[in-house]
Amino acid sequence: MAINTDKNLYTVVFAAIMVIVVGATLAFVASSLSGNIAENQRFEKQQNILYAMGINDNDDESNVNFIPTNQVAEQFKKYITEQLVIEGDKITPDSSAYLLNVKKQQDLVKEGKSGKLPLFIGEKDGKKYYILPMYGKGLWDAIWGYISLDDQMKVVGVYFDHKGETAGLGANLNQRYFMDDFAGENIMKGSKFEGITVFKGNNDPLNERKDDNRVDALAGATITSNGITNMIHATIRLYQPYLETIKAKN
Amino acid sequence: MALLSKKDANLIMDPLADNNPITVQVLGICSALAITAELKASIVMALSVVFVLAMGNVVISLMRNIIPSKIRIIVQLVVVAALVIIVDQVLKAFAYELSKTLSVFVGLIITNCIIMGRFEAFALANGPKRAFWDGIGNAAGYGLILIIVGFFRELLGSGTLMGFKVLGDPITKTGLYALGYENNGFMLLAPMALIVIGIIIWIQRSRNPALIEEN
């Protein structure tokens, strides 16, 4: 070749040009697609919230089927009647509460500062459901989800998701066989807000006992299972003052 | 194979068997252990690597005469990283569901030694067309082993394939489970992936003695 690719100057110039070209390409791709991506993420949140309260397209016993993305905005409007932001003692309606960054806000509250905790009220067949967003730690990375409760604090449904749990083990937290077990459990034990413990020890694999505040753990995923337990407990602690007022009303 | 010359066809067929990146060159073992607990994850990973390796090989091959040799490894890394990010962003915008399944593997693709290995060993010395077929061949050889391992680990470990309960239901005891069969939970852990790969290497070498080194 005519160019001497071993020269230092050439190396530096090549590196500089490469960085500019690659940087510009990535910036262009990211900014031109950011609108689509944000929209997809918004739809996903709506799908997850609806899924937790039992609005989904599940047609068999093994697969998670959300409301299709092209209908979700409409269904979300129909079923989610109220979106609230709880800030200390102040409760305000806010139609974009579902877009709040749950991790950031929950961390603020846990540190004792004022944070905005979103809560969604859904209505289906004349019944009211209270849906709480959750956020916690799994084995490798973040886990999060939604839990929906009725006015007796009984779990109607949950949805979990994760960023990077082990495929085939912890990543199964978003599978039906695990999530379906939560339905019917109660977060109360007597008059105490007990939460639900994801419990190792296979004494109730079919999860027929619904009064023990326990759900059978994920096989081979102890840390993820404990993470889910802690996430549920932490969320219920955060929302306890509000949940008490609902319980008192009914 | 009339589309390809015999030499090009060898570029694809060789890595599938006698020069397989995993079982013969023992590259890319790390991701083969990490993600093969499920067949679906194995297939997704295999397809992603086919795409990234074929594209990356072509890009590196086109630039092979202008890349300064002192920083060639960095250039290769930048090319893989950029490709992977672009793929990830496009999927997030147009195939969101798929991108969620794939997200875990994106980081793993960049660190996959097969990719850097092929850039270094093949793309830097060959034209883009041959580099493309080489990329397809090597990634397919890698994917083939991943899928075989994923198949056995999911079948024996969870009793499912692609999430379908092919052996019956272990909790309500139907199908094979009614006869007292139990899933082997050990299959889901990483050591079993190594053992399955070891068995594949064993079978392959016993069928083709040319692969056995003399020492």
Side-chain angles (χ1 to χ4, degrees), chain A residues 1 3 5-8 10-12 14-15 18 22 25-26 29-31 33-34 36-37 40-41 44 47-48 60-63 66 144 159 161-169 171-172 174-175 177 205-206 219-220, chain B residues 34-38 41 63-71 74-76 78-79 81-83 85-86 88-97 100 103-105 153 158 162-165 169 171-172 185 188-190:
Chain A
M1 282 303 289
I3 337 166
T5 56
D6 280 336
K7 268 193 180 158
N8 282 344
Y10 178 80
T11 307
V12 172
F14 184 92
M18 180 183 73
V22 171
T25 315
L26 290 184
V29 171
S31 62
L33 295 177
S34 66
N36 286 29
I37 295 175
N40 284 334
Q41 285 167 343
E44 188 196 5
Q47 283 173 327
N48 293 352
D60 58 10
E61 292 200 338
S62 53
N63 292 311
F66 296 114
W144 60 89
Y159 182 75
D161 212 340
H162 67 103
K163 192 169 173 201
E165 297 307 292
T166 319
L169 301 173
N172 284 345
N174 60 8
Q175 297 293 309
Y177 76 87
L206 290 177
Chain B
I35 56 127
T36 47
E38 276 179 328
M63 302 200 317
R64 68 187 185 281
N65 290 326
I66 57 164
I67 295 177
S69 56
K70 284 177 202 160
I71 56 163
I74 301 172
V75 175
Q76 291 163 11
V78 169
V79 169
L83 271 176
I85 294 171
I86 291 173
D88 185 47
Q89 294 279 315
V90 170
L91 285 177
K92 265 194 187 142
F94 300 110
Y96 194 72
E97 282 300 304
K100 288 191 62 188
S103 65
V104 194
F105 311 122
R153 284 182 74 190
S158 318
M162 305 287 286
F164 291 107
K165 295 186 178 115
D169 193 317
I171 295 171
T172 53
L188 292 176
L189 305 177

Side-chain angles (χ1 to χ4, degrees), chain B residues 151-212:
Chain B
F151 176 86
F152 285 110
R153 284 182 74 190
E154 189 177 347
L155 182 67
L156 301 177
S158 318
T160 57
L161 282 177
M162 305 287 286
F164 291 107
K165 295 186 178 115
V166 287
L167 299 182
D169 193 317
I171 295 171
T172 53
K173 301 273 179 226
T174 58
L176 209 51
Y177 298 99
L179 306 171
Y181 175 80
E182 292 274 351
N183 284 328
N184 181 354
F186 192 38
M187 288 300 291
L188 292 176
L189 305 177
M192 275 317 284
L194 201 57
I195 292 174
V196 173
I197 291 176
I199 293 172
I200 297 172
I201 295 178
W202 179 23
I203 295 171
Q204 194 182 7
R205 293 195 171 199
S206 66
R207 288 172 57 104
N208 185 354
L211 292 175
I212 302 170

Side-chain angles (χ1 to χ4, degrees), chain A residues 35-77:
Chain A
N36 286 29
I37 295 175
E39 193 178 40
N40 284 334
Q41 285 167 343
R42 214 172 60 231
F43 285 150
E44 188 196 5
K45 278 190 179 174
Q46 296 185 336
Q47 283 173 327
N48 293 352
I49 293 169
L50 287 175
Y51 187 91
M53 71 171 275
I55 314 283
N56 51 47
D57 272 7
N58 285 349
D59 49 5
D60 58 10
E61 292 200 338
S62 53
N63 292 311
V64 170
N65 291 310
F66 296 114
I67 301 279
T69 32
N70 54 8
Q71 295 166 22
V72 70
E74 187 189 317
Q75 301 277 342
F76 190 74
K77 235 183 238 158

Side-chain angles (χ1 to χ4, degrees), chain A residues 100-116:
Chain A
L100 280 172
N101 183 335
V102 176
K103 176 186 188 310
K104 213 168 113 193
Q105 302 297 337
Q106 286 199 358
D107 284 350
L108 281 174
V109 178
K110 282 175 197 161
E111 285 165 19
K113 294 176 192 152
S114 87
K116 297 176 170 177

